[in-house]
Amino acid sequence: MDDILTEEGQKQAVDWLEFTLWKMERGEFKRPITLTAPVREPKLATVPMAIPHSGARKAVIVTDLLPEDAALKAMIDRFTAVFPYECDVINIEDLPFMGGCLSCFSCAATGKCVYKDGFDDFLQDKD
């Protein structure tokens, strides 16, 4: 992404746009043919017999689980049942995000996200 900050990168971006507009004017862009897959009902996975969890370590599962996503819920349940350590499941749908990661790495330097939504504090306070 840093290339757009250089003259050469900016020239390449302008050249690409001009080429794209030229192709569009000539009608040379065609929509790709998309094949539709047959609709299939998802099969829910069965949860195997749970194994005892060791207290030596802990895992965190971060998900964007929606109430209607039964397949993802089943997958998480199955994983937590057979994973040998305790798991905390964090559903980011329940958190007040101000936006997606900008890849600015501010958090790496300061330990704080540029967004002031409290998510960085939440992650640091999580045991």
Side-chain angles (χ1 to χ4, degrees):
M1 290 179 48
D2 290 337
D3 59 342
I4 200 71
L5 300 176
T6 66
E7 279 189 40
E8 178 64 23
Q10 293 167 10
K11 180 183 178 321
Q12 288 175 349
V14 169
D15 289 347
W16 175 84
L17 178 61
E18 288 175 353
F19 176 73
T20 302
L21 294 174
W22 177 77
K23 294 284 272 182
M24 290 174 68
E25 287 171 3
R26 295 172 48 117
E28 294 185 12
F29 275 122
K30 304 275 188 257
R31 247 181 216 272
I33 297 172
T34 56
L35 302 175
T36 56
V39 177
R40 295 191 177 120
E41 288 295 318
K43 294 183 179 163
L44 296 179
T46 57
V47 177
M49 184 187 314
I51 62 172
H53 295 287
S54 163
R57 295 182 181 171
K58 196 173 199 179
V60 177
I61 300 170
V62 180
T63 181
D64 60 348
L65 182 62
L66 297 172
E68 63 271 13
D69 197 347
L72 180 57
K73 170 102 173 76
M75 184 172 64
I76 292 169
D77 291 345
R78 183 179 181 94
F79 178 83
T80 57
V82 298
F83 193 67
Y85 306 109
E86 291 183 41
C87 295
D88 284 340
V89 179
I90 298 173
N91 188 356
I92 60 174
E93 289 290 327
D94 300 335
L95 300 172
F97 282 110
M98 291 177 69
C101 180
L102 300 172
S103 300
C104 66
F105 293 103
S106 174
C107 59
T110 65
K112 292 289 183 186
C113 182
V114 294
Y115 292 122
K116 303 300 178 212
D117 56 12
F119 185 67
D120 49 1
D121 291 330
F122 171 78
L123 284 179
Q124 290 178 4
D125 294 340
K126 199 74 181 144
D127 291 339

